[in-house]
Amino acid sequence: MSTDAAFVPDDSFTATSHKGLTYPFGGAEPASGETMRIAEGLEWVRLRIPGPLKHVNCWLIADRDARGDGVALVDTGMNTTDARDAWKTLANGAMAGVRVTRMIGTHMHPDHIGLAGWMCAHHDAPLVMTRGEWLTARMLVADARDAVPEEMVAFWRGAGWNDEQVDAASARGWAGFRRIVTPLPLSFTRLQDGDTLRIGRGDWRIVTGSGHSPEHACLLDETRGVFIAGDQVLPRISPNVSLGVTEPDADPLGEWLASIAKLRNLPADLLVLPGHGDPFTGLHTRLDAMDREHRERLDALEIFLAEPRRAIDCFGRLFRRAIGQDMLGMATGEALAHLRRLEVEGRARRDATDGVWWWRAA
């Protein structure tokens, strides 16, 4: 893999622009079961996933280890039949005879590491992640059980859920994470912020962020100007930032805003390879837009809290569409993250009545 020059898009693609971002590959994308070349030694795989995001991006970086040539795989898709079939098609086609040298997970969400254990076992490859992401994933797998814990039910009711909503969520049990993640290895190789990974002939610096997940790892090839961003920067949507039952007094939105400020220190002209959506340039423009969106939401929410509100009462001020049962959990977590940020900033206060939380502007 050559690293002699910065990334330059292939002349066969027609770049497009939208809201200050440039998409150097236009609307081109890899078909299911195929790869698409981004640069020498760097390939793009796109896999279908259920839900509104529809797909997840994975990346293959030319690599070499003691056993010979192969590829480092960044993210895997969810443990679904579609994703496994797509990888099997690749193994019999574009990746025939290609070995995965290491399995790098950007973060612990199932659409990114759902097949990490499967890949590690098949290729006898090490799992490479940050400690915060690996431990959280292991905890969620180990904590799987039939019945939803009473603490979770109390959390839902605190946010304002009614009996029907609680019953519908409880019917799904408490093992959803384990069902869509193959068993992870018992050991892993730790990534830390500032580490440099030598992958093939290139160096990739680890840049971590938080808020969307505990210790999200991004990979930066400073020589070629390529940034594998995972879900830390997406081109058209803001990643979900949720407050959860595990750490109910945390401030994930504060961590997210701090991560945006941190990423502004990176060069503005990087080619960003996101976990969802298409590769783009215009990193600072996108960071500014995400920061502005969340701060505008906070301002609107503070005005809305002139009267006491529950988390579920705030959906109309935070989201552009109606929230059904399928998105209720994520929407609740996001609303709570915004309310908690207002609380931390001294702009709102919370009271509890009969187990239900009510926020009011301070």
Side-chain angles (χ1 to χ4, degrees), residues 263-309:
L263 293 178
R264 281 201 188 95
N265 293 317
L266 300 180
D269 59 350
L270 295 174
L271 173 69
V272 181
L273 306 182
H276 309 276
D278 295 342
F280 69 94
T281 59
L283 174 62
H284 288 193
T285 297
R286 185 60 191 137
L287 292 173
D288 290 346
M290 291 194 300
D291 183 88
R292 184 171 57 251
E293 177 183 0
H294 283 294
R295 295 189 188 278
E296 288 174 352
R297 286 180 179 180
L298 289 170
D299 291 343
L301 197 55
E302 183 181 16
I303 294 170
F304 186 59
L305 297 182
E307 298 294 333
R309 313 285 185 180

Side-chain angles (χ1 to χ4, degrees), residues 144-216:
R145 59 184 93 169
D146 293 332
V148 173
E150 286 302 316
E151 300 99 308
M152 189 72 249
V153 173
F155 190 83
W156 290 334
R157 293 199 182 280
W161 288 24
N162 60 33
D163 290 343
E164 182 181 355
Q165 291 166 328
V166 169
D167 290 345
S170 297
R172 294 196 291 266
W174 194 245
F177 187 93
R178 187 172 65 183
R179 283 194 292 269
I180 49 179
V181 173
T182 55
L184 294 170
L186 291 179
S187 60
F188 77 110
T189 300
R190 183 184 179 188
L191 295 177
Q192 298 184 75
D193 188 55
D195 284 352
T196 296
L197 286 185
R198 185 70 174 178
I199 304 178
R201 291 173 54 196
D203 290 328
W204 295 79
R205 177 160 64 90
I206 303 304
V207 182
T208 61
S210 186
H212 176 66
S213 64
E215 194 184 359
H216 186 298

Side-chain angles (χ1 to χ4, degrees), residues 101-178:
T101 58
R102 48 188 141 176
M103 175 62 249
I104 302 171
T106 58
H107 63 297
M108 44 70 62
H109 291 156
D111 51 333
H112 293 265
I113 63 157
L115 289 172
W118 185 65
M119 285 289 185
C120 290
H122 182 74
H123 293 277
D124 191 22
L127 177 63
V128 184
M129 297 177 69
T130 64
R131 180 181 286 171
E133 301 294 332
W134 184 81
L135 286 174
T136 305
R138 294 281 299 177
M139 177 273 291
L140 290 171
V141 170
D143 192 40
R145 59 184 93 169
D146 293 332
V148 173
E150 286 302 316
E151 300 99 308
M152 189 72 249
V153 173
F155 190 83
W156 290 334
R157 293 199 182 280
W161 288 24
N162 60 33
D163 290 343
E164 182 181 355
Q165 291 166 328
V166 169
D167 290 345
S170 297
R172 294 196 291 266
W174 194 245
F177 187 93
R178 187 172 65 183

Side-chain angles (χ1 to χ4, degrees), residues 217-254:
C218 305
L219 287 79
L220 172 63
D221 180 340
E222 295 178 273
T223 301
R224 293 198 293 180
V226 177
F227 185 56
I228 297 178
D231 283 359
Q232 215 38 56
V233 188
L234 302 178
R236 296 180 184 266
I237 61 172
S238 287
N240 179 261
V241 178
S242 284
L243 182 70
V245 69
T246 305
E247 194 179 353
D249 293 324
D251 179 22
L253 185 52

